[in-house]
PDB file of all heavy atoms in Angstrom:
ATOM      1  N   VAL A  47     -17.381  20.084  89.202  1.00 95.00           N
ATOM      2  CA  VAL A  47     -16.580  20.715  90.256  1.00 95.00           C
ATOM      3  C   VAL A  47     -15.118  20.253  90.116  1.00 95.00           C
ATOM      4  O   VAL A  47     -14.182  21.059  90.144  1.00 95.00           O
ATOM      5  CB  VAL A  47     -17.126  20.358  91.653  1.00 95.00           C
ATOM      6  CG1 VAL A  47     -16.097  20.700  92.742  1.00 95.00           C
ATOM      7  CG2 VAL A  47     -18.424  21.115  91.923  1.00 95.00           C
ATOM      8  N   GLY A  48     -14.926  18.943  89.963  1.00 96.00           N
ATOM      9  CA  GLY A  48     -13.574  18.426  89.798  1.00 96.00           C
ATOM     10  C   GLY A  48     -12.922  18.947  88.531  1.00 96.00           C
ATOM     11  O   GLY A  48     -11.746  19.333  88.524  1.00 96.00           O
ATOM     12  N   TYR A  49     -13.691  18.971  87.456  1.00 94.00           N
ATOM     13  CA  TYR A  49     -13.181  19.485  86.184  1.00 94.00           C
ATOM     14  C   TYR A  49     -12.765  20.950  86.347  1.00 94.00           C
ATOM     15  O   TYR A  49     -11.681  21.353  85.907  1.00 94.00           O
ATOM     16  CB  TYR A  49     -14.261  19.358  85.116  1.00 94.00           C
ATOM     17  CG  TYR A  49     -13.821  19.770  83.732  1.00 94.00           C
ATOM     18  CD1 TYR A  49     -13.457  18.824  82.788  1.00 94.00           C
ATOM     19  CD2 TYR A  49     -13.751  21.107  83.368  1.00 94.00           C
ATOM     20  CE1 TYR A  49     -13.035  19.195  81.516  1.00 94.00           C
ATOM     21  CE2 TYR A  49     -13.329  21.497  82.106  1.00 94.00           C
ATOM     22  CZ  TYR A  49     -12.977  20.541  81.181  1.00 94.00           C
ATOM     23  OH  TYR A  49     -12.563  20.919  79.934  1.00 94.00           O
ATOM     24  N   HIS A  51     -11.957  22.732  89.086  1.00 94.00           N
ATOM     25  CA  HIS A  51     -10.767  22.936  89.924  1.00 94.00           C
ATOM     26  C   HIS A  51      -9.493  22.591  89.160  1.00 94.00           C
ATOM     27  O   HIS A  51      -8.491  23.319  89.240  1.00 94.00           O
ATOM     28  CB  HIS A  51     -10.855  22.068  91.181  1.00 94.00           C
ATOM     29  CG  HIS A  51     -11.838  22.571  92.202  1.00 94.00           C
ATOM     30  ND1 HIS A  51     -12.134  23.907  92.349  1.00 94.00           N
ATOM     31  CD2 HIS A  51     -12.580  21.910  93.149  1.00 94.00           C
ATOM     32  CE1 HIS A  51     -13.019  24.051  93.331  1.00 94.00           C
ATOM     33  NE2 HIS A  51     -13.301  22.859  93.819  1.00 94.00           N
ATOM     34  N   ALA A  52      -9.525  21.490  88.408  1.00 95.00           N
ATOM     35  CA  ALA A  52      -8.335  21.097  87.649  1.00 95.00           C
ATOM     36  C   ALA A  52      -8.047  22.090  86.532  1.00 95.00           C
ATOM     37  O   ALA A  52      -6.880  22.442  86.290  1.00 95.00           O
ATOM     38  CB  ALA A  52      -8.527  19.692  87.084  1.00 95.00           C
ATOM     39  N   ALA A  53      -9.097  22.550  85.857  1.00 92.00           N
ATOM     40  CA  ALA A  53      -8.896  23.519  84.772  1.00 92.00           C
ATOM     41  C   ALA A  53      -8.342  24.833  85.311  1.00 92.00           C
ATOM     42  O   ALA A  53      -7.510  25.483  84.671  1.00 92.00           O
ATOM     43  CB  ALA A  53     -10.221  23.762  84.047  1.00 92.00           C
ATOM     44  N   GLU A  54      -8.778  25.219  86.503  1.00 91.00           N
ATOM     45  CA  GLU A  54      -8.328  26.487  87.081  1.00 91.00           C
ATOM     46  C   GLU A  54      -6.901  26.410  87.604  1.00 91.00           C
ATOM     47  O   GLU A  54      -6.073  27.285  87.305  1.00 91.00           O
ATOM     48  CB  GLU A  54      -9.265  26.906  88.210  1.00 91.00           C
ATOM     49  CG  GLU A  54      -8.874  28.217  88.859  1.00 91.00           C
ATOM     50  CD  GLU A  54      -9.848  28.662  89.940  1.00 91.00           C
ATOM     51  OE1 GLU A  54     -10.980  28.144  89.977  1.00 91.00           O
ATOM     52  OE2 GLU A  54      -9.468  29.533  90.746  1.00 91.00           O
ATOM     53  N   THR A  55      -6.600  25.369  88.381  1.00 93.00           N
ATOM     54  CA  THR A  55      -5.287  25.305  89.024  1.00 93.00           C
ATOM     55  C   THR A  55      -4.217  24.730  88.108  1.00 93.00           C
ATOM     56  O   THR A  55      -3.047  25.094  88.212  1.00 93.00           O
ATOM     57  CB  THR A  55      -5.342  24.441  90.289  1.00 93.00           C
ATOM     58  OG1 THR A  55      -5.592  23.073  89.918  1.00 93.00           O
ATOM     59  CG2 THR A  55      -6.434  24.918  91.242  1.00 93.00           C
ATOM     60  N   GLY A  56      -4.614  23.805  87.241  1.00 93.00           N
ATOM     61  CA  GLY A  56      -3.628  23.108  86.420  1.00 93.00           C
ATOM     62  C   GLY A  56      -2.670  22.279  87.242  1.00 93.00           C
ATOM     63  O   GLY A  56      -1.646  21.825  86.744  1.00 93.00           O
ATOM     64  N   SER A  57      -3.013  22.035  88.498  1.00 95.00           N
ATOM     65  CA  SER A  57      -2.106  21.353  89.431  1.00 95.00           C
ATOM     66  C   SER A  57      -2.784  20.141  90.056  1.00 95.00           C
ATOM     67  O   SER A  57      -3.808  20.290  90.734  1.00 95.00           O
ATOM     68  CB  SER A  57      -1.684  22.318  90.545  1.00 95.00           C
ATOM     69  OG  SER A  57      -1.135  21.621  91.643  1.00 95.00           O
ATOM     70  N   PRO A  58      -2.235  18.936  89.878  1.00 96.00           N
ATOM     71  CA  PRO A  58      -2.811  17.765  90.533  1.00 96.00           C
ATOM     72  C   PRO A  58      -2.865  17.891  92.050  1.00 96.00           C
ATOM     73  O   PRO A  58      -3.860  17.519  92.677  1.00 96.00           O
ATOM     74  CB  PRO A  58      -1.879  16.628  90.100  1.00 96.00           C
ATOM     75  CG  PRO A  58      -1.360  17.071  88.767  1.00 96.00           C
ATOM     76  CD  PRO A  58      -1.174  18.559  88.925  1.00 96.00           C
ATOM     77  N   GLU A  59      -1.820  18.442  92.658  1.00 97.00           N
ATOM     78  CA  GLU A  59      -1.781  18.553  94.119  1.00 97.00           C
ATOM     79  C   GLU A  59      -2.816  19.551  94.632  1.00 97.00           C
ATOM     80  O   GLU A  59      -3.546  19.274  95.594  1.00 97.00           O
ATOM     81  CB  GLU A  59      -0.379  18.965  94.587  1.00 97.00           C
ATOM     82  CG  GLU A  59       0.683  17.907  94.401  1.00 97.00           C
ATOM     83  CD  GLU A  59       1.129  17.772  92.942  1.00 97.00           C
ATOM     84  OE1 GLU A  59       0.855  18.704  92.139  1.00 97.00           O
ATOM     85  OE2 GLU A  59       1.742  16.746  92.610  1.00 97.00           O
ATOM     86  N   ASP A  60      -2.893  20.730  94.017  1.00 96.00           N
ATOM     87  CA  ASP A  60      -3.866  21.729  94.451  1.00 96.00           C
ATOM     88  C   ASP A  60      -5.291  21.231  94.236  1.00 96.00           C
ATOM     89  O   ASP A  60      -6.178  21.466  95.068  1.00 96.00           O
ATOM     90  CB  ASP A  60      -3.667  23.040  93.681  1.00 96.00           C
ATOM     91  CG  ASP A  60      -2.399  23.768  94.106  1.00 96.00           C
ATOM     92  OD1 ASP A  60      -1.810  23.370  95.126  1.00 96.00           O
ATOM     93  OD2 ASP A  60      -2.008  24.725  93.410  1.00 96.00           O
ATOM     94  N   THR A  61      -5.512  20.550  93.134  1.00 96.00           N
ATOM     95  CA  THR A  61      -6.849  20.015  92.856  1.00 96.00           C
ATOM     96  C   THR A  61      -7.232  18.975  93.894  1.00 96.00           C
ATOM     97  O   THR A  61      -8.356  18.972  94.406  1.00 96.00           O
ATOM     98  CB  THR A  61      -6.885  19.392  91.446  1.00 96.00           C
ATOM     99  OG1 THR A  61      -6.619  20.409  90.477  1.00 96.00           O
ATOM    100  CG2 THR A  61      -8.245  18.772  91.158  1.00 96.00           C
ATOM    101  N   ASP A  62      -6.304  18.097  94.234  1.00 97.00           N
ATOM    102  CA  ASP A  62      -6.574  17.061  95.230  1.00 97.00           C
ATOM    103  C   ASP A  62      -6.948  17.686  96.563  1.00 97.00           C
ATOM    104  O   ASP A  62      -7.880  17.219  97.242  1.00 97.00           O
ATOM    105  CB  ASP A  62      -5.349  16.166  95.379  1.00 97.00           C
ATOM    106  CG  ASP A  62      -5.601  14.993  96.307  1.00 97.00           C
ATOM    107  OD1 ASP A  62      -6.563  14.244  96.060  1.00 97.00           O
ATOM    108  OD2 ASP A  62      -4.831  14.817  97.274  1.00 97.00           O
ATOM    109  N   ARG A  63      -6.255  18.748  96.959  1.00 97.00           N
ATOM    110  CA  ARG A  63      -6.583  19.407  98.226  1.00 97.00           C
ATOM    111  C   ARG A  63      -7.999  19.987  98.184  1.00 97.00           C
ATOM    112  O   ARG A  63      -8.736  19.902  99.161  1.00 97.00           O
ATOM    113  CB  ARG A  63      -5.551  20.510  98.533  1.00 97.00           C
ATOM    114  CG  ARG A  63      -4.243  19.984  99.084  1.00 97.00           C
ATOM    115  CD  ARG A  63      -3.371  21.094  99.615  1.00 97.00           C
ATOM    116  NE  ARG A  63      -2.809  21.901  98.532  1.00 97.00           N
ATOM    117  CZ  ARG A  63      -1.649  21.625  97.953  1.00 97.00           C
ATOM    118  NH1 ARG A  63      -0.962  20.550  98.322  1.00 97.00           N
ATOM    119  NH2 ARG A  63      -1.186  22.400  96.988  1.00 97.00           N
ATOM    120  N   ARG A  64      -8.357  20.575  97.077  1.00 96.00           N
ATOM    121  CA  ARG A  64      -9.707  21.145  96.961  1.00 96.00           C
ATOM    122  C   ARG A  64     -10.777  20.055  96.982  1.00 96.00           C
ATOM    123  O   ARG A  64     -11.857  20.234  97.563  1.00 96.00           O
ATOM    124  CB  ARG A  64      -9.827  21.956  95.680  1.00 96.00           C
ATOM    125  CG  ARG A  64      -8.993  23.227  95.660  1.00 96.00           C
ATOM    126  CD  ARG A  64      -9.331  24.066  94.455  1.00 96.00           C
ATOM    127  NE  ARG A  64      -8.546  25.311  94.394  1.00 96.00           N
ATOM    128  CZ  ARG A  64      -8.833  26.324  93.597  1.00 96.00           C
ATOM    129  NH1 ARG A  64      -9.873  26.250  92.782  1.00 96.00           N
ATOM    130  NH2 ARG A  64      -8.091  27.414  93.597  1.00 96.00           N
ATOM    131  N   LEU A  65     -10.493  18.930  96.358  1.00 97.00           N
ATOM    132  CA  LEU A  65     -11.505  17.877  96.253  1.00 97.00           C
ATOM    133  C   LEU A  65     -11.700  17.123  97.567  1.00 97.00           C
ATOM    134  O   LEU A  65     -12.657  16.366  97.705  1.00 97.00           O
ATOM    135  CB  LEU A  65     -11.144  16.898  95.136  1.00 97.00           C
ATOM    136  CG  LEU A  65     -11.132  17.491  93.729  1.00 97.00           C
ATOM    137  CD1 LEU A  65     -10.953  16.400  92.686  1.00 97.00           C
ATOM    138  CD2 LEU A  65     -12.399  18.290  93.440  1.00 97.00           C
ATOM    139  N   ALA A  66     -10.820  17.357  98.530  1.00 97.00           N
ATOM    140  CA  ALA A  66     -11.002  16.738  99.847  1.00 97.00           C
ATOM    141  C   ALA A  66     -12.282  17.232 100.510  1.00 97.00           C
ATOM    142  O   ALA A  66     -12.807  16.576 101.424  1.00 97.00           O
ATOM    143  CB  ALA A  66      -9.797  17.029 100.731  1.00 97.00           C
ATOM    144  N   ALA A  76     -15.801  13.588  91.077  1.00 97.00           N
ATOM    145  CA  ALA A  76     -15.022  14.822  90.967  1.00 97.00           C
ATOM    146  C   ALA A  76     -13.615  14.535  90.443  1.00 97.00           C
ATOM    147  O   ALA A  76     -13.072  15.279  89.618  1.00 97.00           O
ATOM    148  CB  ALA A  76     -14.952  15.528  92.322  1.00 97.00           C
ATOM    149  N   HIS A  77     -13.020  13.441  90.902  1.00 98.00           N
ATOM    150  CA  HIS A  77     -11.694  13.071  90.401  1.00 98.00           C
ATOM    151  C   HIS A  77     -11.770  12.646  88.932  1.00 98.00           C
ATOM    152  O   HIS A  77     -10.824  12.883  88.168  1.00 98.00           O
ATOM    153  CB  HIS A  77     -11.090  11.969  91.262  1.00 98.00           C
ATOM    154  CG  HIS A  77     -10.459  12.490  92.520  1.00 98.00           C
ATOM    155  ND1 HIS A  77      -9.175  12.981  92.545  1.00 98.00           N
ATOM    156  CD2 HIS A  77     -10.940  12.617  93.785  1.00 98.00           C
ATOM    157  CE1 HIS A  77      -8.880  13.376  93.777  1.00 98.00           C
ATOM    158  NE2 HIS A  77      -9.932  13.173  94.552  1.00 98.00           N
ATOM    159  N   ALA A  80     -11.679  15.794  87.108  1.00 97.00           N
ATOM    160  CA  ALA A  80     -10.332  16.374  87.141  1.00 97.00           C
ATOM    161  C   ALA A  80      -9.435  15.728  86.095  1.00 97.00           C
ATOM    162  O   ALA A  80      -8.664  16.409  85.400  1.00 97.00           O
ATOM    163  CB  ALA A  80      -9.732  16.209  88.540  1.00 97.00           C
ATOM    164  N   PHE A  84      -7.364  17.642  83.116  1.00 96.00           N
ATOM    165  CA  PHE A  84      -5.913  17.562  82.934  1.00 96.00           C
ATOM    166  C   PHE A  84      -5.564  17.054  81.543  1.00 96.00           C
ATOM    167  O   PHE A  84      -4.587  17.504  80.924  1.00 96.00           O
ATOM    168  CB  PHE A  84      -5.290  16.653  83.997  1.00 96.00           C
ATOM    169  CG  PHE A  84      -5.280  17.245  85.384  1.00 96.00           C
ATOM    170  CD1 PHE A  84      -5.652  16.494  86.487  1.00 96.00           C
ATOM    171  CD2 PHE A  84      -4.896  18.569  85.583  1.00 96.00           C
ATOM    172  CE1 PHE A  84      -5.640  17.038  87.766  1.00 96.00           C
ATOM    173  CE2 PHE A  84      -4.886  19.134  86.859  1.00 96.00           C
ATOM    174  CZ  PHE A  84      -5.261  18.363  87.949  1.00 96.00           C
ATOM    175  N   TYR A 100      -0.915  13.358  87.602  1.00 97.00           N
ATOM    176  CA  TYR A 100      -2.083  13.183  88.475  1.00 97.00           C
ATOM    177  C   TYR A 100      -2.302  11.701  88.789  1.00 97.00           C
ATOM    178  O   TYR A 100      -2.484  11.311  89.945  1.00 97.00           O
ATOM    179  CB  TYR A 100      -3.306  13.785  87.790  1.00 97.00           C
ATOM    180  CG  TYR A 100      -4.623  13.364  88.388  1.00 97.00           C
ATOM    181  CD1 TYR A 100      -5.042  13.854  89.613  1.00 97.00           C
ATOM    182  CD2 TYR A 100      -5.454  12.473  87.720  1.00 97.00           C
ATOM    183  CE1 TYR A 100      -6.247  13.456  90.169  1.00 97.00           C
ATOM    184  CE2 TYR A 100      -6.653  12.078  88.259  1.00 97.00           C
ATOM    185  CZ  TYR A 100      -7.054  12.569  89.482  1.00 97.00           C
ATOM    186  OH  TYR A 100      -8.240  12.164  90.016  1.00 97.00           O
TER     187      TYR A 100
END
Side-chain angles (χ1 to χ4, degrees):
V47 165
Y49 184 100
H51 286 330
E54 180 177 343
T55 67
S57 163
E59 291 76 17
D60 289 349
T61 298
D62 185 55
R63 282 191 288 270
R64 292 189 180 194
L65 296 188
H77 279 276
F84 289 135
Y100 165 73

